[in-house]
Amino acid sequence: MLRTSRRFSFRATRSTSAAIAGVLLVGCTEVKEQPKSAGPADVGGTMVVATPAEPGSILPGLYSTSIERQVTDLLFDRLAEIGDGLNSIGDKGFKPQLATRWEWSPDSLSIVFHLDPRARWHDGQPVRATDVRYSVNLIKDPAFGSPMASSTTNVDSVSVRDSLTAVAHFKRHTPEQFFDLVYQVSIVPEHILGNTPPAQLKTAEVARRGIGSGRFRLGKWEQGKSLELVADTLNYRGRPKLDRIVYSLSLDFNSAVARLFTGDADFFEQLRPENMAKLATDTALRALPYPSLQHTFLALNTIDPAHPGQPNPIFADRAVRRALTMAVDRAGMLRNVFGVMAHPSYGPFPRFLGVADTTLPQLPYDTVKARALLDSAGWTPGPDGVRSKNGQRLEFGITTTVSSASRKQYSVLLQEAFKRVGAVATVDAVDFAGAAAKLQGRSFQTVLVTFAPDPNVSGVRQAWSSAALGKDGLNYPSYVNPTVDALLDSATLAFDPARARAYSRRAFEIIIEDAPGIWLYEAPTVAGIHKRIHTTGLRADEYWAGMADWWIPASERTARDRIGLRPAATP
């Protein structure tokens, strides 16, 4: 799944790197030991989350950013929830959610899901098997335009045995068929959405109502100000520990993080290292490190943004992509921007992915070979030192977000590196919405993007196979290699983990050699959180998965926590 996240960043020195390490230790040692679970009296309270982005959609299947995914996950349930170990093979570790139990057919081509008879939509209507059928059909409908559609191609159909029994049918038995259904498809209410054509749901008012079956329901949404979730007190899975989660919305990183430090907010998901020194002296806040699948790379668009469907006159050339990659001192840039606090990226995957391989051979940093490669490909220097070929100058833009200091720094460093081999790069700094629009419309030459795939090899397939092409897909560079497609398909179909890793490794090797992106870094993910808020375990794919069980002890509550529940919005 894409996380166009607001990455923290700075030009690290030894002192700032030490400050980060120090505040993490402070965050872990100065807070009194937290109880492992909430007591009977620890129900209630409000958590205000400051965020420098606003959801564009809160309808499952259409999210493309972290805030959209987070809100929809809290409002809508799946048939089952992936376990903390993130196993995606078979159904081991998956926990019941809307389905209380399930059974596999003898040939493993169908799974019978038995729904919880207590499950209700937030408008009081019961959740039915017809909702499961509708949800699967919606995700698979090309008119709906879901980025998850390519991950559900093996789901053939859903039949309804009775009101509480849905039968999922698959085209073939695969290791991840259970995951492909229950992880990718959140169940939505047919009686609310079914009368609106799928092609209109992206902009329809009905899709903003947020009527799900999750433990939180939508309270109110004031555009540009706040989005409030309130506890569903009669939820079939139990009342959340918190009364409310209020997302305080901003389009600017600095104003959002300022709300954390002024006490107007209780949580900020991704602090920058320059915020750490202030955090260390704040007696009300602590650092909350958490694992993540995010990694950042420079995507090189192989399609001409000025002429969609036509090859990019610069980046369709494999030699150019390889040469520009070799022009970049990735290790030096990492030290320059993050000091010792970030990790290098080794390819189209994060380190926490099960099939990740950090031993893969990389294109070397070698400006002499980079220039020679451009020479041999016909890109020759002009009088001003800028290369050209057949009248096309080696000149392009680097799109980045205004709010991310680290990406802006990387943009300048990349600009300097490309200049040394005869390329001119112009930094195009835009706001978050502008960057998202450029990504979806493929209207960029290059773009710094932070991506968090699903926690399996299918997550790589989501971003780097031809199945993910098009404006609704996540293959932003529009990279196509049939051999990679076949290898990733084989990896997803391999029941033997060793074979899956072998297929994945070969696919990664080819992608690295083809260089549709320049792999840059994995930055540390550290949230700032008020000390009174106690958390559960944080998953690498979704740190918010257990947020309904975060709690505030009664003895530690502030005036904000004593407001209590407000009436939810009328459906």
Side-chain angles (χ1 to χ4, degrees):
M1 175 60 236
L2 174 69
R3 307 286 200 272
T4 318
S5 55
R6 290 67 55 202
R7 305 296 296 199
F8 56 76
S9 53
F10 75 133
R11 186 171 299 275
T13 63
R14 290 179 182 175
S15 60
T16 49
S17 294
I20 300 173
V23 77
L24 296 184
L25 289 174
V26 168
C28 293
T29 59
E30 288 190 356
V31 182
K32 64 182 180 180
E33 185 177 353
Q34 294 192 355
K36 295 181 180 180
S37 61
D42 296 330
V43 174
T46 295
M47 179 172 70
V48 177
V49 178
T51 176
E54 179 161 7
S57 171
I58 57 171
L59 184 61
L62 292 181
Y63 46 70
S64 61
T65 64
S66 177
I67 182 63
E68 292 173 349
R69 176 70 177 262
Q70 185 175 152
V71 171
T72 57
D73 280 350
L74 293 173
L75 290 173
F76 295 87
D77 281 347
R78 299 176 172 95
L79 290 169
E81 179 76 356
I82 195 169
D84 294 339
L86 299 182
N87 170 64
S88 63
I89 307 301
D91 61 4
K92 183 179 180 180
F94 281 83
K95 297 172 286 190
Q97 219 169 66
L98 281 171
T100 58
R101 57 189 175 91
W102 50 85
E103 298 120 19
W104 293 70
S105 65
D107 61 5
S108 297
L109 291 179
S110 63
I111 305 174
V112 180
F113 291 92
H114 300 275
L115 302 185
D116 193 321
R118 302 169 301 164
R120 295 287 186 275
W121 298 110
H122 295 150
D123 64 355
Q125 295 296 310
V127 177
R128 292 294 183 244
T130 50
D131 295 314
V132 178
R133 179 177 62 192
Y134 172 75
S135 301
V136 171
N137 290 340
L138 183 64
I139 286 287
K140 292 172 65 64
D141 192 330
F144 184 54
S146 172
M148 274 59 76
S150 64
S151 299
T152 59
T153 54
N154 188 43
V155 183
D156 182 76
S157 61
V158 171
S159 61
V160 174
R161 182 173 295 179
D162 57 51
S163 64
L164 292 175
T165 311
V167 184
H169 304 276
F170 299 84
K171 297 175 183 177
R172 61 193 302 182
H173 177 38
T174 68
E176 296 182 342
Q177 68 189 85
F178 190 86
F179 172 92
D180 290 342
L181 173 61
V182 304
Y183 192 87
Q184 304 296 353
V185 182
S186 295
I187 308 305
V188 297
E190 182 179 21
H191 71 284
I192 298 292
L193 305 174
N195 291 328
T196 303
Q200 297 177 18
L201 281 173
K202 285 185 177 180
T203 56
E205 181 277 333
V206 70
R208 294 175 59 86
R209 297 181 188 175
I211 298 176
S213 60
R215 294 170 68 188
F216 285 99
R217 60 171 65 208
L218 182 63
K220 60 180 179 179
W221 185 358
E222 295 185 70
Q223 197 82 19
K225 294 182 179 180
S226 65
L227 186 151
E228 181 177 316
L229 304 182
V230 298
D232 184 27
T233 57
L234 300 177
N235 191 267
Y236 73 105
R237 291 198 294 126
R239 183 205 195 281
K241 302 300 187 292
L242 296 171
D243 284 337
R244 299 182 302 154
I245 298 176
V246 180
Y247 290 90
S248 178
L249 308 175
S250 172
L251 296 180
D252 174 72
F253 176 95
N254 291 328
S255 61
V257 77
R259 293 175 186 175
L260 176 71
F261 287 111
T262 59
D264 293 329
D266 303 306
F267 182 84
F268 189 87
E269 75 168 12
Q270 204 158 349
L271 292 172
R272 294 173 179 166
E274 62 261 32
N275 305 132
M276 295 302 184
K278 189 171 184 178
L279 184 68
T281 62
D282 194 307
T283 58
L285 301 173
R286 64 184 175 94
L288 181 66
Y290 59 94
S292 172
L293 296 174
Q294 296 181 2
H295 61 294
T296 300
F297 59 95
L298 182 72
L300 311 177
N301 194 353
T302 64
I303 300 298
D304 188 350
H307 302 92
Q310 299 297 314
N312 190 308
I314 296 175
F315 299 114
D317 189 334
R318 182 174 182 264
V320 172
R321 302 195 304 265
R322 288 171 56 84
L324 293 179
T325 300
M326 288 190 284
V328 175
D329 180 6
R330 292 180 291 156
M333 287 185 185
L334 187 74
R335 291 192 300 270
N336 191 318
V337 177
F338 289 107
V340 298
M341 298 310 298
H343 295 274
S345 180
Y346 295 94
F349 53 83
R351 290 174 300 117
F352 284 115
L353 200 68
V355 293
D357 190 341
T358 59
T359 68
L360 288 165
Q362 304 289 311
L363 292 176
Y365 168 51
D366 191 325
T367 55
V368 174
K369 287 185 178 179
R371 294 189 191 96
L373 187 55
L374 291 169
D375 288 339
S376 65
W379 294 87
T380 56
D384 59 355
V386 180
R387 295 176 181 270
S388 63
K389 178 180 180 180
N390 300 327
Q392 171 68 52
R393 282 166 60 88
L394 191 53
E395 188 170 358
F396 51 87
I398 300 175
T399 298
T400 187
T401 51
V402 174
S403 61
S404 174
S406 62
R407 290 194 222 172
K408 286 194 290 185
Q409 286 181 253
Y410 259 93
S411 296
V412 173
L413 294 172
L414 289 165
Q415 183 183 46
E416 295 170 353
F418 297 148
K419 182 179 181 180
R420 287 192 286 269
V421 297
V424 173
T426 303
V427 177
D428 177 25
V430 298
D431 62 18
F432 182 82
K438 282 178 174 285
L439 276 174
Q440 186 171 18
R442 307 300 192 265
S443 57
F444 62 90
Q445 288 282 359
T446 74
V447 60
L448 278 163
V449 60
T450 296
F451 185 76
D454 286 343
N456 58 359
V457 68
S458 296
V460 180
R461 186 175 178 274
Q462 281 179 329
W464 298 102
S465 77
S466 58
L469 293 171
K471 65 181 180 65
D472 296 319
L474 300 177
N475 186 341
Y476 296 114
S478 299
Y479 169 71
V480 176
N481 187 312
T483 302
V484 169
D485 288 347
L487 287 165
L488 291 177
D489 286 344
S490 296
T492 61
L493 296 174
F495 285 89
D496 179 2
R499 291 184 64 195
R501 285 192 295 271
Y503 286 129
S504 300
R505 178 184 171 90
R506 182 58 188 139
F508 296 156
E509 287 177 336
I510 295 173
I511 296 173
I512 290 170
E513 287 294 315
D514 285 346
I518 301 177
W519 328 113
L520 297 173
Y521 61 85
E522 293 182 39
T525 45
V526 183
I529 188 170
H530 196 280
K531 290 179 180 178
R532 79 186 193 288
I533 297 174
H534 299 247
T535 64
T536 57
L538 307 176
R539 284 192 348 221
D541 65 325
E542 300 174 359
Y543 71 80
W544 57 85
M547 198 174 277
D549 290 316
W550 293 14
W551 78 98
I552 302 171
S555 61
E556 300 178 29
R557 292 184 188 156
T558 64
R560 180 157 62 219
D561 299 315
R562 301 187 183 99
I563 295 174
L565 287 174
R566 293 173 177 170
T570 302

